[in-house]
Amino acid sequence: MQPFAGEALDPPPIWLMRQAGRYLPEYRETRAKAGGFLDLCYSPALAAEVTLQPIRRYGFDAAILFADILLVPDALGQSVRFAEGEGPLLDPLRTAADLTRLSPTATRPKFERVFETVQRLRQDLPDETALIGFCGAPWTVATYMIEGRGSKDQAAARLFAYRDPDGFQKLMDVLVEASIEYLSGQVQAGADALQIFDTWAGSLPDDQFEKWVIHPTQRIVEAMHKQHPDVPVIGFPRGAQGSALWYVAETKVDGIGCDTAMPPYMMAEAFDGENVVVQGNLDPLLLVAGGEALKTRVGEILELMEGRPFIFNLGHGIVPETPPEHVADLVRWVRGGAQ
Ligand code: CP3
């Protein structure tokens, strides 16, 4: 994939986390047709359609497979529901004994639906548009499995890991294996690059970060590099701050997704010599605000990252309130310079 060849591209490639989603009227229409959110994820025709919508509208350089990080626990048998206005709901895993509810050998039929979406996409996408597959990092996925829903501080998972590190390790092992199977299947079906979303990496102190963020990610990246040496893997350890450099050095990711808190001067300098492509990190709320403030910041990021291997992205996902025309402005400014 071109941006990973070690050269700076001018203009840099651009895609956005959550580029398919509720801010687009065509997404809302397809979503209504599908019924539930999971029905949409497991319908190859509809999931491919919503993946393509932002590509048609904006001509992004990459499409990201439409799916969700919680399909992995769902496929493992911890059924996931999405209640309107509540986000995801799962029957929480309280102790290691609850791990017997997971069936690591039963994932295939649900994963196959996603692989079929990837196959369709590879056929329907223009050759020059990269297709990014993804999974959630084991730590972040575990926070939802243990808490049973999204949470502010991931307290249930952090306490589980402190009280029963061996039991927590068993859960990590199940998730590492399932993630490898899931990502590998996406590559075989046609994904050109992969991203590992660790949305809650920032909630752990360094010793726990090493055990539950770095080690499991390292195992997944190593397996991908062995099985698919030409497929770059981007890590997104949201909130890792100063530990992002450590994460890059240890996990050997090919790309580092930077969140909004990472100062662009650090994005420009901290990873020099690490042989890693930097991706990020515009504030999604600036994309809601739009106008001059957006244009100015885009100009600053582009200027700081000039001459370095860089992928323009947000520091987190697009929010539903984003006016679609602001995304068009952003793409135009990134491609034409922000002067
Ligand atoms: O366009 C894309 O980026 C691809 C699709 C994608 C979705 N979720 C679709 C989605 C991706 C890459 C994800 C990743 C994901 N899912 C993460 C990691 C990235 C992040 O945002 O931090 C997490 C933590 C999840 C779990 C999840 N899925 C939550 C907490 C929610 C509810 C919050 C919300 O926005 O409603 C979801 C639902 C979800 N996943 C939606 C979309 C488009 C909205 C569902 C809807 O249409 O009602």
Side-chain angles (χ1 to χ4, degrees), residues 1-13 254-256 258 267-268 271-280 304-312:
M1 217 190 140
Q2 222 193 350
F4 292 90
E7 275 167 46
L9 302 174
D10 184 21
D254 307 283
I256 177 73
C258 299
M267 299 203 313
F271 304 100
D272 268 0
E274 288 294 339
N275 201 14
V276 73
V277 177
V278 174
Q279 173 182 285
L304 276 159
M305 296 311 296
E306 201 182 331
R308 292 186 154 81
F310 175 55
I311 299 170
F312 198 100

Side-chain angles (χ1 to χ4, degrees), residues 15-22 27 31 37 40-41 50-51 54 64-70 82 84 86-88 134-136 140 144 150 197-200 236 238 316-318 320:
W15 69 276
L16 304 179
M17 288 188 270
R18 288 276 179 100
Q19 63 193 21
R22 283 168 296 190
Y27 170 85
R31 165 88 160 74
F37 173 69
L40 176 56
C41 293
V50 292
T51 307
I64 178 154
L65 164 69
F66 190 84
D68 197 84
I69 66 165
L70 299 178
F82 278 85
E84 210 53 61
E86 279 207 74
F134 73 93
C135 71
T140 287
Y144 289 95
F197 286 90
D198 219 342
T199 303
W200 302 116
F236 177 57
R238 182 166 165 266
H316 199 194
I318 294 191

Side-chain angles (χ1 to χ4, degrees), residues 35-94:
F37 173 69
L38 284 184
D39 299 317
L40 176 56
C41 293
Y42 287 131
S43 158
L46 298 181
E49 164 59 23
V50 292
T51 307
L52 292 168
Q53 287 168 350
I55 306 302
R56 290 193 201 111
R57 223 186 229 262
Y58 305 114
F60 288 121
D61 296 288
I64 178 154
L65 164 69
F66 190 84
D68 197 84
I69 66 165
L70 299 178
L71 298 191
V72 168
D74 190 60
L76 285 166
Q78 189 186 16
S79 60
V80 177
R81 284 116 35 220
F82 278 85
E84 210 53 61
E86 279 207 74
L89 296 173
L90 306 82
D91 295 328
L93 301 177
R94 296 285 182 210

Side-chain angles (χ1 to χ4, degrees), residues 250-263:
E250 294 289 327
T251 63
K252 309 269 193 307
V253 286
D254 307 283
I256 177 73
C258 299
D259 60 62
T260 44
M262 174 89 68

